[in-house]
Amino acid sequence: MDRLLRAVGWCALAFLLVLGVVALLPRAVQDAVPDAVIGGAVLVLGAVGARRVARRPR
């Protein structure tokens, strides 16, 4: 259960990080970036974080 909560935390952190970066971009760039690219970035960062949590300790 602890690992699951950590993985969810990493996904939430990735989501907030991507939203923060997008919010800092100029408005013209925000409009030009498709929503699928933003969603893909969240999925990739979340998967990397979840994989880091799911690995067994050495």
Side-chain angles (χ1 to χ4, degrees):
M1 184 70 169
D2 184 48
R3 284 187 180 175
L4 177 65
L5 290 176
R6 279 195 226 167
V8 169
W10 276 106
C11 291
L13 181 64
F15 177 73
L16 293 175
L17 180 68
V18 170
L19 284 182
V21 168
V22 170
L24 293 175
L25 295 173
R27 187 70 179 164
V29 176
Q30 287 179 8
D31 293 339
V33 175
D35 290 339
V37 172
I38 296 169
V42 169
L43 287 176
V44 168
L45 288 174
V48 168
R51 183 175 176 199
R52 193 174 157 208
V53 170
R55 284 194 325 220
R56 296 196 181 268
R58 295 181 182 181

